[in-house]
Amino acid sequence: PISATNGVRVGNGAAGTLTVSTGGALNMTGGLLSVGLNASGNGTLNINGGSIANGEALRLGFNGATGTLSITNGGTLVTSSSTVTSNTIGDGSGASPATGIMTISGAGSSWTIGQGALVLGSGADSLGRLTITDGGKLSYQNANGAVIVGYLGGTGEVLVSGANSLF
């Protein structure tokens, strides 16, 4: 496994791709997992059978950027978060519209949120889309996190389909 202590950024003001494949692991002990951030950022994260354990929260598509995340083939993502740091998908509330697109697909593929809110589509003209299909799962370890779909002029979308898919 690879360890990171001060966050991971994929596509920070530029294009970037990170893939964690079967048997691979990224263990984060602090900081945000940021995919697609700041103007001209275009980040892609593929968790294809691998795992990421994150010390803080997910920021997918932030402040003028586009972020894409897919969890497939039994891949797992765990964000511990805090009550003050939200997990965001498509957050342009900082200044510029942003787009975040996330897919969790297939049996065993999952995202577990420790605590804190999940916000999809925040800020004018921003888009946050979450698709869970074919047995994919999103779950909370603690039931204190709000889910906000569309906020401050943004558009949020959640699609759940297929047997055993869970949101």
Side-chain angles (χ1 to χ4, degrees), residues 90-121:
D91 182 1
S93 60
S96 303
T99 300
I101 307 293
M102 182 172 187
T103 302
I104 306 170
S105 181
S109 300
S110 66
W111 178 18
T112 303
I113 298 173
Q115 59 183 347
L118 170 59
V119 181
L120 294 101

Side-chain angles (χ1 to χ4, degrees), residues 46-135:
N46 301 304
I47 306 173
N48 183 3
S51 67
I52 296 180
N54 184 17
E56 214 13 81
L58 171 67
R59 182 175 282 166
L60 179 64
F62 178 75
N63 194 23
T66 297
T68 304
L69 169 56
S70 78
I71 304 173
T72 57
N73 295 317
T76 60
L77 172 63
V78 176
T79 53
S80 62
S81 198
S82 69
T83 55
V84 296
T85 304
S86 297
N87 292 280
T88 60
I89 300 175
D91 182 1
S93 60
S96 303
T99 300
I101 307 293
M102 182 172 187
T103 302
I104 306 170
S105 181
S109 300
S110 66
W111 178 18
T112 303
I113 298 173
Q115 59 183 347
L118 170 59
V119 181
L120 294 101
S122 177
D125 299 319
S126 292
L127 171 65
R129 179 181 297 141
L130 172 62
T131 303
I132 303 171
T133 63
D134 301 322

Side-chain angles (χ1 to χ4, degrees), residues 8-23:
V8 171
R9 295 178 177 183
V10 181
N12 183 7
T17 300
L18 173 63
T19 299
V20 182
S21 297
T22 302

